[in-house]
Amino acid sequence: MAAEDAVRNLRAVFRGTASHAWAVRLSSPRTYNEKEWRSMCFSASASFVAGSSLSVLGVAAIRNTRARNELPVAMIPLLFGIQQLIEGVIWVTFRNEAPQLKQAMTIAFLGFAYVLWPMYVPLALGVLEGVRWRKRTLFAFLAAGIPVGLYLLHAIATSSLVAEVLGKHIVYVTPHPNLLIVGVLYVGATCLSCFFSSHGFLRLFGVLALLSLIAAYLVHVRALVSLWCFFAAILSLLIYFHLKFRSLGGFPAERHSPAVAHAP
């Protein structure tokens, strides 16, 4: 699949998903009629198309890196692609009655959502950053993201995880005793950390990720994890476009050398 085809596929998926966003919640999440099955087929296709397209673009982003410290950020679209492919498998298990596979894929999906992202995002940004005070700030966000990720890993390992369908979206049911504190630290590590990057495309990603969180909350609060991960996955295209078109003059070269830049 060419990168251009992958971008077109993602545009089609996003338009289709947006048209299904304001859906009526199902009264019984475990009993589905034929119309609901067709909706699941659409949702599975959306996840598979998004996942495969992002995987292709993620590989392209990695190939367009110029320095080793760009690799962690360049891998973000690929990682989101893998996560979306996992959710596609979860959609398939609802119709094909594969409880063990669904449980395994649910653990894998939440491993990305709960454990990987609050640690990986500030780490990748910190490795890329060349301005000293900004790098220190980003690693401070990493110091907040690590305990959040470990806490949620413990929750995944010790809790009974449930994935069910409500309102044409997947709802992941997991207990969070300290939801407010964990949520604030999580948003700080994954979104607010981007505001401190010296790279404009990463600051834009952080703003849009925060707005997509609000949008996902308004669309379906119980399906927040699934929806926000999907929106954030689409937004990771910013990373691909930056690395792709930087070499064509579409983005200005960064002003700070990653190795020697100092705080202004």
Side-chain angles (χ1 to χ4, degrees), residues 30-68:
R30 292 180 172 81
T31 303
Y32 312 111
N33 56 40
E34 188 60 30
K35 182 179 179 181
E36 292 157 359
W37 286 128
R38 288 196 297 270
S39 174
M40 287 186 200
C41 291
F42 165 80
S43 299
S45 299
S47 293
F48 283 130
V49 171
S52 58
S53 299
L54 283 167
S55 297
V56 170
L57 294 173
V59 173
I62 293 171
R63 289 177 176 175
N64 280 280
T65 58
R66 293 179 176 177
R68 292 171 60 184

Side-chain angles (χ1 to χ4, degrees), residues 5-20:
D5 293 333
V7 172
R8 284 195 291 269
N9 288 340
L10 284 171
R11 287 175 180 170
V13 168
F14 189 78
R15 285 196 298 268
T17 303
S19 66
H20 285 74

Side-chain angles (χ1 to χ4, degrees), residues 105-127:
M105 292 297 100
T106 298
I107 293 173
F109 181 88
L110 293 179
F112 275 86
Y114 288 172
V115 182
L116 177 67
W117 293 127
M119 295 189 287
Y120 190 85
V121 170
L123 174 63
L125 270 58
V127 169

Side-chain angles (χ1 to χ4, degrees), residues 41-172:
C41 291
F42 165 80
S43 299
S45 299
S47 293
F48 283 130
V49 171
S52 58
S53 299
L54 283 167
S55 297
V56 170
L57 294 173
V59 173
I62 293 171
R63 289 177 176 175
N64 280 280
T65 58
R66 293 179 176 177
R68 292 171 60 184
N69 69 332
E70 294 179 349
L71 282 173
V73 167
M75 289 180 61
I76 289 176
L78 176 59
L79 293 172
F80 268 122
I82 295 171
Q83 186 181 18
Q84 287 303 306
L85 290 173
I86 291 171
E87 187 161 59
V89 176
I90 295 174
W91 277 113
V92 171
T93 62
F94 285 112
R95 183 160 193 172
N96 292 283
E97 296 296 331
Q100 293 181 340
L101 179 60
K102 180 170 73 173
Q103 185 71 5
M105 292 297 100
T106 298
I107 293 173
F109 181 88
L110 293 179
F112 275 86
Y114 288 172
V115 182
L116 177 67
W117 293 127
M119 295 189 287
Y120 190 85
V121 170
L123 174 63
L125 270 58
V127 169
L128 180 64
E129 186 55 56
V131 180
R132 188 172 299 170
W133 74 266
R134 294 180 184 273
K135 182 183 285 286
R136 289 180 182 147
T137 304
L138 289 168
F139 283 131
F141 279 105
L142 174 61
I146 289 175
V148 169
L150 294 177
Y151 172 81
L152 293 175
L153 175 62
H154 178 266
I156 292 174
T158 59
S159 304
S160 177
L161 305 178
V162 177
E164 58 186 21
V165 176
L166 285 174
K168 300 181 183 179
H169 304 294
I170 295 180
V171 173
Y172 298 97

Side-chain angles (χ1 to χ4, degrees), residues 204-258:
L204 177 60
F205 176 82
V207 171
L208 294 178
L210 188 59
L211 292 175
S212 70
L213 168 62
I214 297 171
Y217 181 87
L218 294 174
V219 169
H220 200 314
V221 62
R222 295 189 63 187
L224 177 65
V225 174
S226 177
L227 282 172
W228 191 27
C229 284
F230 181 84
F231 292 155
I234 301 299
L235 292 176
S236 70
L237 283 172
L238 285 171
I239 296 170
Y240 162 75
F241 283 125
H242 172 76
L243 295 172
K244 172 71 174 178
F245 296 107
R246 175 185 60 185
S247 61
L248 299 178
F251 288 83
E254 300 300 339
R255 293 175 297 176
H256 303 287
S257 168

